[in-house]
Every structure is written in C-alpha cells, then in structure tokens.
Amino acid sequence: MKRLAKPNYDFGDVIDLCIDGIANTQSIKMRITTNKVNLLLDANLYDSAINQGVIYTYSPLIRFHDKMCIRSTKDDYEKLYTQYFVPTAKKTRVIYDEILTSAKGDCPFCGGIGDPTNLDHFLPKAEYPQFSIYPSNLVPSCRDCNMGAKKVGYAKSAEEQTIHPYLDKQIFFEEQWITADYIADSNLDQPGEFRYYVNAPSNWTDIDKARVEKYFDDFKLASRYAKQATSSLKSKLRSIKRELDRGSSIQEIIDDVIQPDIDGAPFVNYWEVGMCDALINYLHSEQRKIKNISLDFCV
Ligand SMILES: [Zn+2]
C-alpha cells in the first residue's frame, strides 16, 4: 500500500479538453457540456467523502445527479472515458499517461509488487459514471490488482471500503499494519517460509482495522508478499551466515544486515519491512540454534 500524490488537474479543464475532442456533429458534445456543472458538483464531494471514509454512503446511480435519464447519461459518461479520454489521438491522453507514470513503476495497491499497466476506476464507472474521467478516481494499477480485488465492485459498508492511494487517511500509509513471521525449515537445511499477516495498531477504530484486514485479503498480499520475500531470502541468509562466521553477535547482525533494509524501505508497509521483522524475531528467538546452523542451502 503506497501513497501517491493526488493528480494535480483542474477537473473543469479536463472536462473542457475532453469536450474539445468531440466532433461538433456528435450530440453527446452538447449533453456533456450541459452536464458539466453537475460533474463538477459531484466531484467536489468525492475527495472529502473518501478522506472521511464515508464514500460507501454514496449509493451507486441512486446518488447520480441525473435521475431522469440515468441510462443515456451513464452511457455518455462511459463513452466520455473510452472514446474521448483514453485514445492516443485525444489531447486528454497526456493526462492519462501522466497519471500512469506518476506511480513510477510501482502499483500503489500492492505496494510495488506489480507494475502499473493501466488506470483503474477506483469507483467503477459502471456504477459511478459521473467519475469516469475525474482524475482523483483514476488510479494506476497493476494487472493483478485490477483483475483481482478491484473487480469485486464497490463498498456497501464502512468496513468494505478499499483504501484510496490518493485520498485516504494518513494512518494507513504512515503506521505499520503489515508484518510477518519466519518459519524455519524443521531440518534447518532448507529455506523456511514467510507468513504475512495484519497487525493493526491497537488504538485504531474497529472500522479501520476491518478495512486493512479486508484490503490485505482482497489484494492477496499474504501470498504475494511471501513470494517476494522468499525470492530474496537466500541472499539475506548468506549475509547472516557471513556475519556468523566472522563471530558477529545476533544483535550486530540485526543492526548491520537487517535494520538498514527497514530504514531504507520506501514506505512502512513495504513487503521487505515485514520480511525483516520476521527475520529479527527469528534471530532473537532462535539464537542458540542459529549459531549451529550450517546454512549450507544458502551457499
Ligand atoms: Zn498491484
């Protein structure tokens, strides 16, 4: 889970640029122009509702501003995105690409496990068409995150709300809620495994705790983070072994080999932080055994 800066665009300008790309002969052009004021009003509510964790109260379509002709207006807004915002020939494509590259190759939902390949509608455009081209609702996402968790739709309760990478509460990004244990192989001649889990701060509300639990499950972070950690375990164990051979103490190994990775992590719930937590706990708890490990498997 990685914080991204909110895209810095004036929504009115984005709508105008999009309208500019519609031929005068298209009747959708007039309808969108007429509805611009409603789009701006809806968007005004979006950011604070996400930040306050109440976006789930926005019933899809029921809250929709144009109840008289929901279907046609919904179609207009979906088309606005697919036909007039995304195509490479349109001026708005620059905005699409800028938002995508703002992630710098790290999908914010899985915290950089995947590479963002497209923009995800945080509130799906099928249910919330009025946000189809609203930059705050367009979030870079890797394929796994987009096809997995985000496919399930939208929150119907406070607990179900996905954490929003641009707008959600700081605590989700600044306080650690993901950690892991390391379970060594019983024969100590094979690499062990990592078990990631949620350990939210005890002073959080029950709703916030439920949200991170759900988020962790939805995005399958336990298995995705464990896979990442396992792939870098051998090199970490090699460094530990080298220090043991030199006669370093467990505390010296933690300070010199593991703690620097925690300190250098790009954010607090990065997969590597959990891996380091797990190895530190393991080294502390198994001091006697570890001194006798051959660690042959990591040579
Ligand atoms: Zn992802």
Side-chain angles (χ1 to χ4, degrees), residues 53 195 286:
R195 289 191 193 149
E286 302 282 342

Side-chain angles (χ1 to χ4, degrees), residues 107 109-110 114 142 145 224:
C107 169
F109 292 110
C110 58
C142 74
C145 287
R224 295 169 77 190

Side-chain angles (χ1 to χ4, degrees), residues 66-126:
D66 195 347
K67 293 194 190 84
M68 295 302 287
C69 45
I70 277 182
R71 185 140 319 274
S72 65
T73 314
K74 177 176 179 295
D75 288 350
D76 280 354
Y77 290 162
E78 289 188 351
K79 261 190 211 154
L80 193 62
Y81 180 75
T82 54
Q83 295 184 18
Y84 302 105
F85 183 81
V86 177
T88 47
K90 300 295 179 190
K91 287 180 187 166
T92 44
R93 180 67 196 197
V94 175
I95 297 172
Y96 183 101
D97 290 339
E98 282 176 357
I99 295 175
L100 190 58
T101 53
S102 71
K104 298 187 173 69
D106 293 334
C107 169
F109 292 110
C110 58
I113 295 284
D115 191 6
T117 49
N118 66 316
L119 296 185
D120 171 62
H121 284 93
F122 185 84
L123 294 183
K125 65 180 180 306

Side-chain angles (χ1 to χ4, degrees), residues 35 45 74 97 182 184 195 247 293:
N35 267 330
L45 302 167
K74 177 176 179 295
D97 290 339
Y182 177 64
R195 289 191 193 149
I293 298 181

